Amino acid sequence: MVTDTDLMARALVHAARGQGRTTPNPMVGAVVVDSAGVVVGHGWHARAGEPHAEVHALAAAGNRARGGTLFVTLEPCCHTGRTGPCTREIINAGIARVVTAMRDPDPRVNGCGMGELRAAGITVVEGVCQADAERLNAAFMRVKSERRPLVIAKAAASLDAKIAVAGRQTRISSPESNRKTHQLRASVDAIAVGSGTMLIDDPLLTARHSHRVRPLVRAIFDRRLRTPAAARVFTTFGEGPVIMVTSRAALRDAANRDEALERRGATVIAADDLRAAAEMLLQWDVSTLLVEGGACLHRAFLEASLVDRMHLIVAPCTLGADGVPLFAGAGVPRAALTLTTVEPRGSDIWIEADVHRNH
């Protein structure tokens, strides 16, 4: 027998199709089952400003939705924004029962959508696969609750917990890990690196071999504005904007380096601390920020209690005494981590974990 959990799991699969596409909106999936229990429609939210998942699913179901059940991964909206309220669409379609995974943390909704459906005589069931839905939309929830992006720290390290030979560009991860790195870049809103990474690696900071429908923001944390105007990232504005995050002192004392970077097309902003900088990135619809390094920037985000997830690639090599320590030597207590996946990537092991110290 197919259960509510089975059908919500299917709706979550559809929701995940919006990864990297829907910001600043959440990822949402929906499935419609007719009165006989047959799946007659499904949908997912593809992009902000376009129809919501419920609208697509109800349109696919047509008249067979009447008397049926709608499974949706997020509470249906009840306000008019860039699109109309989904609650009206559900009521007009004649749906008899709505099963949701989680409430919408947006204060314009947050329980009101459920209330409107119940007032119309529709049976509402809440909390089916709630933990899975909340993890899928952790970035949306972080923006609504803390007004900052979800921060993902990603690093490749040797067996002796070093990320590079000091002062030298060092590649230690496998081609398979590199491909996954670009897939990860394609799924987030922004990449962040520090000035040391810019000076040593001169990276492009693009998502290659992966399709994106939204611009990829590149945030360079550079307190002294050391990044040269000739850096390769300034040839990639077709991929998205480049934001130079610096200090107020640098803007005052950097001898017009900010103007040189702005002439190259960068946007230069000053922030008092990392949390303030993360909040400022919301201006560019950044809900997920992938911090790729280097070690000092990783440590700064960790010590500011801003890291929500970690991706760690462990390569089968050692770098020895000349190696730069992972996270600049900052330890992360095991009790603060919940392991989510461990998988081989070529010769490497890719580990993903959730961080709970700032929850």
Side-chain angles (χ1 to χ4, degrees):
M1 178 180 175
V2 178
T3 66
D4 285 356
T5 300
D6 294 330
L7 290 162
M8 188 61 76
R10 183 181 294 197
L12 283 165
V13 169
H14 289 299
R17 296 168 69 184
Q19 188 84 47
R21 304 171 62 98
T22 64
T23 301
N25 286 5
M27 292 173 277
V28 185
V31 171
V32 178
V33 177
D34 68 12
S35 55
V38 177
V39 174
V40 292
H42 65 260
W44 58 289
H45 182 47
R47 197 167 185 175
E50 295 184 3
H52 291 182
E54 302 96 312
V55 174
H56 286 301
L58 291 169
N63 290 332
R64 296 182 70 182
R66 191 161 297 278
T69 299
L70 170 69
F71 293 83
V72 60
T73 59
L74 183 73
E75 175 183 8
C77 66
C78 54
H79 66 285
T80 299
R82 282 187 275 189
T83 61
C86 289
T87 49
R88 290 286 96 201
E89 298 283 345
I90 294 166
I91 293 166
N92 293 339
I95 287 289
R97 180 171 176 259
V98 172
V99 181
T100 67
M102 60 176 282
R103 289 201 172 194
D104 189 336
D106 189 322
R108 296 172 298 178
V109 186
N110 202 0
C112 296
M114 310 292 200
E116 187 172 319
L117 295 174
R118 288 188 173 109
I122 295 173
T123 299
V124 176
V125 178
E126 300 185 50
V128 177
C129 299
Q130 181 173 334
D132 293 332
E134 289 179 348
R135 188 172 195 278
L136 181 68
N137 275 316
F140 180 70
M141 295 176 68
R142 184 69 69 214
V143 170
K144 294 300 179 185
S145 64
E146 294 190 30
R147 295 300 302 161
R148 69 163 178 87
L150 181 88
V151 175
I152 306 166
K154 178 239 155 196
S158 60
L159 293 173
D160 54 346
K162 306 294 178 61
I163 64 168
V165 175
R168 266 185 16 213
Q169 187 179 71
T170 311
R171 300 189 185 279
I172 63 173
S173 52
S174 68
E176 292 84 357
S177 291
N178 291 336
R179 281 195 290 273
K180 180 162 180 173
T181 291
H182 285 283
Q183 291 167 1
L184 182 59
R185 288 180 176 184
S187 72
V188 300
D189 301 318
I191 306 170
V193 297
S195 59
T197 298
M198 294 302 301
L199 292 172
I200 295 170
D201 294 344
D202 192 17
L204 289 169
L205 299 179
T206 57
R208 299 183 285 282
H209 318 299
S210 299
H211 176 66
R212 285 186 62 88
V213 299
R214 299 184 63 249
L216 178 62
V217 175
R218 280 69 58 77
I220 300 169
F221 286 77
D222 187 348
R223 289 181 301 172
R224 289 174 285 172
L225 286 182
R226 297 188 299 161
T227 300
R232 294 195 302 160
V233 72
F234 300 126
T235 67
T236 66
F237 286 106
E239 302 293 322
V242 176
I243 315 299
M244 303 296 303
V245 184
T246 192
S247 62
R248 299 186 190 283
L251 289 184
R252 185 180 62 247
D253 304 330
N256 300 321
R257 286 199 294 273
D258 58 324
E259 295 178 6
L261 294 171
E262 287 177 338
R263 283 196 297 272
R264 289 287 283 156
T267 299
V268 181
I269 63 174
D272 294 325
D273 53 41
L274 281 182
R275 184 174 289 272
E279 291 175 359
M280 292 173 75
L281 290 176
L282 296 181
Q283 299 174 52
W284 288 271
D285 283 341
V286 174
S287 293
T288 47
L289 178 65
L290 178 64
V291 182
E292 292 203 357
C296 291
L297 187 64
H298 278 146
R299 180 167 185 153
F301 270 93
L302 282 167
E303 292 182 341
S305 293
L306 291 174
V307 177
D308 302 292
R309 288 183 185 166
M310 286 187 181
H311 288 260
L312 179 61
I313 305 161
V314 182
C317 64
T318 58
L319 296 180
D322 291 334
V324 178
L326 175 68
F327 302 148
V332 182
R334 287 190 180 182
L337 302 176
T338 296
L339 208 62
T340 56
T341 58
V342 178
E343 61 176 350
R345 283 280 163 171
S347 57
D348 305 333
I349 299 296
W350 190 298
I351 302 167
E352 181 179 355
D354 290 339
V355 183
H356 299 288
R357 62 198 253 180
N358 52 8
H359 287 191

